[in-house]
Amino acid sequence: AQKITQTQPGMFVQEKEAVTLDCTYDTSDQSYGLFWYKQPSSGEMIFLIYQGSYDEQNATEGRYSLNFQKARKSANLVISASQLGDSAMYFCAMRVYNTDKLIFGTGTRLQVFP
Amino acid sequence: DVKVTQSSRYLVKRTGEKVFLECVQDMDHENMFWYRQDPGLGLRLIYFSYDVKMKEKGDIPEGYSVSREKKERFSLILESASTNQTSMYLCASIGAGVRNQPQHFGDGTRLSIL
């Protein structure tokens, strides 16, 4: 069965520091995609970054990077130089093979303090 | 830019009422989804639709139905609302086969059933 696991219900980080949010996944498929979303307290889901299973390079988008370790089935999100506005829920998700459906993890609440 | 619009940000209804949640997207996307979000459980798929008048059950369809009469509109229906359906509901859409693209989400509806 396909599954996403986020083991950190909450994380704290000081402003300007880097933080890693963990995500492990379980699938027997060879072709899959991994996504990270940010959800501020206002509720909207904001897409951050995507990693395809065949991508050889780790994805990066500005201050966000994805530490993709295929053999370990992990896709951790790294946020560099944290800002107060990064305080939010973060969800890892996996696309179900040959469909457009996503499976989500339970999320990690990140709080950035001054 | 893709716009997914949910009809209400906040909604309060009574037990036993028939409740309609509406979602409209403006990008001619084939696929539309309804999720439910609860603390500690992440996002769970209720129903999705890959074409007009087509629908498939997600992981938690019990107590819900959907309607897709036009491509841009996907409605979630609570036939007889119950208190355990108090939750955040999120609608999303994506074009068919664009596997490296994210699902686009609406702002969510916080539904309370009294």
Side-chain angles (χ1 to χ4, degrees), chain A residues 43-98:
Chain A
E44 71 272 27
M45 294 283 282
I46 302 167
F47 165 69
L48 295 177
I49 196 166
Y50 166 82
Q51 180 84 42
S53 59
Y54 293 119
D55 294 341
E56 296 193 353
Q57 301 283 338
N58 284 345
T60 61
E61 289 287 345
R63 293 187 299 110
Y64 304 109
S65 60
L66 204 152
N67 183 1
F68 182 48
Q69 298 188 41
K70 195 170 182 177
R72 298 180 61 183
K73 293 188 174 179
S74 74
N76 299 338
L77 177 71
V78 180
I79 306 174
S80 63
S82 297
Q83 301 172 356
L84 296 178
D86 294 333
S87 295
M89 280 290 287
Y90 289 81
F91 290 98
C92 180
M94 178 170 65
R95 189 195 72 234
V96 176
Y97 176 70
N98 213 29

Side-chain angles (χ1 to χ4, degrees), chain B residues 21-97:
Chain B
L21 302 183
E22 307 286 347
C23 175
V24 176
Q25 49 95 4
D26 67 356
M27 284 301 292
D28 204 36
H29 284 166
E30 290 80 6
N31 300 293
M32 297 187 74
F33 306 83
W34 275 106
Y35 295 91
R36 171 177 172 158
Q37 181 183 355
D38 299 289
L41 297 178
L43 278 73
R44 294 178 292 166
L45 182 63
I46 304 172
Y47 267 98
F48 69 101
S49 169
Y50 51 90
D51 204 348
V52 175
K53 296 191 186 296
M54 307 302 285
K55 61 185 178 184
E56 282 197 25
K57 293 180 180 179
D59 300 316
I60 52 164
E62 297 77 20
Y64 304 93
S65 62
V66 290
S67 171
R68 192 159 180 209
E69 296 295 320
K70 294 185 177 181
K71 192 173 185 179
E72 68 271 18
R73 185 181 297 270
F74 191 34
S75 303
L76 179 70
I77 304 158
L78 286 65
E79 296 289 346
S80 178
S82 64
T83 54
N84 62 13
Q85 292 178 308
T86 291
S87 188
M88 170 75 141
Y89 291 87
L90 289 155
C91 175
S93 74
I94 190 171

Side-chain angles (χ1 to χ4, degrees), chain A residues 37 39 41-42 95 100, chain B residues 9 31 37 99 103 110:
Chain A
Y37 283 87
Q39 186 183 45
S41 57
S42 49
R95 189 195 72 234
D100 294 302
Chain B
R9 290 299 298 272
N31 300 293
Q37 181 183 355
R99 299 291 156 76
Q103 289 186 7
R110 296 184 192 272

